[in-house]
Amino acid sequence: MLTGIQSTGTPHLGNLLGAILPAIKMSEAPNLESFLFIADLHSLTQIKDSEVLRKNTYSTAATWLACGLNHQKTIFYKQSDVPQVTELAWYLSCFFPYQRLTLAHSFKDKSDRLQNINTGLFTYPMLMAADILLYDATQIPVGKDQMQHLEMTRDVATRFNNKLGDTFAIPDAIVHKETMLVMGTDGKKMSKSSNNMIDIFLPDNALRKQIMKIQTDSTPVEEPKTPDNCNVFKIYSYLASDSEVKTMRKNYLNGGYGYGQAKQELFELICRSFEKEREQYSYYMNNFAQIDSILKGGAEKAKAVADPMLCKVRGKLALKIN
Ligand code: ATP
Ligand code: MG
């Protein structure tokens, strides 16, 4: 199993619920070898400031660790520590039609709001394919926004295999039934690169402020409200128990219950649900040396898998590189 997350900012509630927590849970299965990594090379498509990149790498690593990743069992590493992946990405890109890449979400979704549309952003899915195929990973937990990229990975692996004989295992997307696409404070997909996230690791006041920003309609306090159209209710229901959800639903339908109250309850629920993670996160953010050493250990284990795979690919291509 393999999954990664870009270090384009501190992971948000959507990343946690949609990717990090399900992947950690999955990685605990006894007979499964898991690779969880920080996609810092992918982040370069958006961020050029080395200090910001460095800080984001730590906050992303701290998030995985705070959420309970077991780095003894799971191979936990930083993408750039295993540069073999960039070589494989090049080979793969030579097997994939340009035309199909123009349809990739990574490119289409961001091209209207990023100032710098660079070639790296365009070829993002090829680096992602290399991330997966280099480690012979077959089970890829993905959020709904990544399904299309995974399809491209399967496609490029098949094209390579068809031309040069069986080389890559064809990976499957693992979409957990309960995996959700969390919407941001503006009602669009929560993203590190849109200014619409809920960062559960912020201090209480700042976190509360973010939650208060969630857009709602303008139904007055005293009137009944439709819970299923409301993003506050939706996010609340991802975290709350069945009976808590029932109570909030009733409050919405009865009226006399304002969005401000619902947001306050959501804030309190987030604080309660992630108490341990928030504490652990600040611990790791004050112990960078420990993160460095964990990532270094992970990179060594990852390289031991990556090297033979890359040798096999070079062999198929009749390339000998020392
Ligand atoms: P960026 O804006 O830089 O693309 P992002 O917030 O989309 O950042 P990624 O690093 O691209 O985060 O994605 C990491 C993982 O989080 C992926 O598996 C993706 O499917 C998942 N994910 C991202 N956003 C959400 C969301 N809003 N809800 C659920 N899962 C999400
Ligand atoms: Mg994204």
Side-chain angles (χ1 to χ4, degrees):
M1 184 268 273
L2 174 142
T3 199
I5 177 161
Q6 297 189 79
S7 44
T8 37
T10 307
H12 51 70
L13 187 61
N15 297 139
L16 256 71
L17 297 178
I20 296 179
L21 294 170
I24 290 177
K25 197 162 161 217
M26 199 174 155
S27 72
E28 286 160 1
N31 295 320
L32 188 68
E33 189 180 24
S34 332
F35 296 79
L36 301 179
F37 71 97
I38 302 166
D40 57 343
L41 295 174
H42 274 111
S43 307
L44 268 175
T45 61
Q46 296 183 58
I47 299 178
K48 314 290 184 244
D49 182 323
S50 57
E51 221 10 76
V52 175
L53 277 168
R54 205 178 84 89
K55 197 186 136 265
N56 287 347
T57 299
Y58 284 121
S59 62
T60 308
T63 303
W64 279 108
L65 293 165
C67 289
L69 179 147
N70 172 355
H71 61 88
Q72 311 286 354
K73 178 175 186 301
T74 296
I75 303 184
F76 178 51
Y77 61 101
K78 171 161 113 243
Q79 191 183 27
S80 62
D81 282 340
V82 192
Q84 284 84 338
V85 75
T86 57
E87 186 181 330
L88 180 58
W90 174 256
Y91 300 146
L92 295 175
S93 69
C94 294
F95 282 77
F96 199 72
Y98 160 85
Q99 198 56 43
R100 285 217 45 209
L101 270 187
T102 61
L103 305 174
H105 287 312
S106 49
F107 173 66
K108 283 198 353 190
D109 291 357
K110 292 204 172 94
S111 55
D112 57 343
R113 61 183 157 84
L114 285 188
Q115 285 195 325
N116 170 10
I117 308 298
N118 51 71
T119 313
L121 186 70
F122 184 67
T123 59
Y124 175 115
M126 292 297 101
L127 185 56
M128 174 167 162
D131 279 322
I132 296 169
L133 301 174
L134 186 61
Y135 299 101
D136 226 356
T138 51
Q139 298 184 49
I140 318 297
V142 281
K144 293 203 174 92
D145 60 320
Q146 293 290 336
M147 299 266 282
Q148 184 208 34
H149 298 150
L150 209 258
E151 207 35 66
M152 292 185 174
T153 303
R154 292 166 55 86
D155 184 347
V156 76
T158 309
R159 286 169 193 267
F160 191 102
N161 287 352
N162 287 346
K163 273 257 181 291
L164 294 166
D166 253 2
T167 310
F168 300 118
I170 308 299
D172 287 312
I174 309 288
V175 189
H176 292 281
K177 203 168 67 265
E178 67 275 19
T179 297
M180 57 292 283
L181 189 63
V182 181
M183 296 304 164
T185 52
D186 59 357
K188 301 194 182 111
K189 182 190 104 72
M190 194 179 288
S191 277
K192 280 169 276 165
S193 53
S194 312
N195 192 15
N196 69 353
M197 62 187 241
I198 295 176
D199 173 1
I200 65 146
F201 298 118
L202 285 176
D204 284 2
N205 270 342
L207 172 60
R208 193 169 174 280
K209 240 192 211 153
Q210 275 188 343
I211 293 170
M212 292 297 159
K213 252 179 44 188
I214 301 175
Q215 283 178 12
T216 54
D217 62 27
S218 50
T219 317
V221 175
E222 55 287 355
E223 279 180 31
K225 301 176 178 60
T226 324
D228 297 314
N229 292 344
C230 176
N231 196 20
V232 182
F233 179 79
K234 236 176 245 163
I235 299 177
Y236 184 85
S237 64
Y238 293 147
L239 296 168
S241 68
D242 289 351
S243 77
E244 286 169 324
V245 176
K246 235 181 176 168
T247 309
M248 188 178 275
R249 180 180 286 282
K250 229 192 262 154
N251 288 336
Y252 267 69
L253 295 173
N254 283 345
Y257 179 81
Y259 289 122
Q261 272 167 284
K263 289 176 184 176
Q264 177 63 27
E265 284 193 46
L266 173 60
F267 165 67
E268 286 167 19
L269 177 65
I270 288 179
C271 292
R272 268 202 314 281
S273 311
F274 294 108
E275 193 186 346
K276 200 179 81 227
E277 287 79 1
R278 294 175 84 207
E279 206 181 281
Q280 281 288 301
Y281 178 82
S282 16
Y283 166 81
Y284 281 110
M285 287 307 276
N286 286 302
N287 288 281
F288 284 176
Q290 195 173 342
I291 294 182
D292 287 337
S293 117
I294 291 172
L295 289 176
K296 192 164 167 243
E300 263 147 42
K301 290 189 230 167
K303 268 188 197 149
V305 182
D307 273 329
M309 177 52 104
L310 195 57
C311 268
K312 180 160 117 182
V313 174
R314 287 172 181 163
K316 297 261 176 172
L317 294 165
L319 296 167
K320 272 217 167 79
I321 299 167
N322 293 315

